Amino acid sequence: MKGTRVAIRVVQLVEDSGVARTVRELLDDARSSQGSDIAAARSMAQQARVLARTLDDAVGEAEALYRLGSIAFTAGDADDAFALALEARDLARKAGATVIEVHALNVVGMVHQTAGNFTEALEYGLKALDLYRSTGEGLHEGNLLNSIANIHHNLGDTDRALVTFEAALNTYRNLESQDPQVPPHHVTILHNMAEVRAGRNEHLLAISLA
């Protein structure tokens, strides 16, 4: 990949990521700041994008675009989030950065879901899941399944929502059993399942999950 080869000559890459180390540090700082300081997170992600482009680091630029889209979504700017996520998707696909493409698709799906476009949200969620499974990774599959289950719930398909929540729950539990450091996300899934059961007037089952 041309962009990666150039970046290797200019600056050290983070092992197995294809992202220049200085870009990686900015992106990591942007991610950690996103929940507490949106302005700082956006500034660091913008710096990462400019630096990545200067270094011809296509993977780093794609991730910076995704991060900017995610930050825009967190800030409530749906239009910017949508545009940035689509740009990130296209560049990630061109650069062969599949996991970044998955995250970008997920942001597009979340924008649709927030706007009430549940059919479109489901389409993007399923695309992201299928693509992610092609990578052979498993770390983020539970998150994707949880999002898809919520969309099924929004669409009123509670049967499919429960089946998908169950799949997410199994994925999380497998991860947690393999690595004690993985946060206990299964608690969130159980809460979501309880809400669905309660909405179906299955109160005993809902209480057993809570």
Side-chain angles (χ1 to χ4, degrees):
M1 186 172 63
K2 181 180 178 183
T4 302
R5 288 200 297 271
V6 172
I8 288 172
R9 290 200 297 269
V10 175
V11 67
Q12 183 181 10
L13 300 185
V14 177
E15 185 178 0
D16 296 329
S17 75
V19 177
R21 185 170 298 280
T22 47
V23 176
R24 173 81 276 142
E25 290 170 355
L26 283 166
L27 289 171
D28 288 345
D29 288 343
R31 179 183 59 191
S32 63
S33 300
Q34 184 170 336
S36 58
D37 192 337
I38 286 287
R42 182 181 287 112
S43 176
M44 286 183 283
Q46 288 169 338
Q47 291 176 56
R49 182 186 182 184
V50 171
L51 181 58
R53 180 172 290 183
T54 300
L55 298 174
D56 201 11
D57 175 6
V59 177
E61 185 179 357
E63 185 173 344
L65 284 165
Y66 151 68
R67 180 56 54 192
L68 286 166
S70 178
I71 290 167
F73 181 79
T74 300
D77 191 340
D79 289 341
D80 273 0
F82 190 81
L84 287 161
L86 287 177
E87 191 175 356
R89 178 203 62 184
D90 293 343
L91 184 55
R93 184 176 297 168
K94 185 177 179 181
T98 305
V99 173
I100 297 171
E101 183 181 349
V102 168
H103 291 320
L105 287 169
N106 195 45
V107 171
V108 175
M110 290 192 299
V111 172
H112 276 302
Q113 185 175 5
T114 301
N117 304 325
F118 301 126
T119 300
E120 291 83 354
L122 182 61
E123 177 186 350
Y124 276 95
L126 292 173
K127 283 181 181 178
L129 179 63
D130 287 344
L131 187 59
Y132 186 67
R133 283 175 169 168
S134 75
T135 68
E137 294 188 17
L139 183 61
H140 301 291
E141 185 168 339
N143 292 338
L144 295 169
L145 286 166
N146 182 52
S147 295
I148 291 167
N150 279 315
I151 297 168
H152 283 309
H153 191 197
N154 291 143
L155 286 166
D157 191 344
T158 56
D159 287 339
R160 193 162 294 179
L162 287 169
V163 168
T164 310
F165 277 133
E166 189 71 36
L169 183 63
N170 291 335
T171 299
Y172 280 133
R173 282 178 167 162
N174 286 337
L175 284 174
E176 291 163 15
S177 66
Q178 295 168 19
D179 184 357
Q181 300 302 315
V182 173
H185 291 296
H186 72 271
V187 176
T188 300
I189 304 297
L190 289 171
H191 174 77
N192 290 341
M193 293 174 72
E195 284 193 347
V196 176
R197 293 290 186 187
R200 288 160 47 129
N201 294 318
E202 298 171 353
H203 298 297
L204 289 177
L205 285 172
I207 290 170
S208 71
L209 293 166

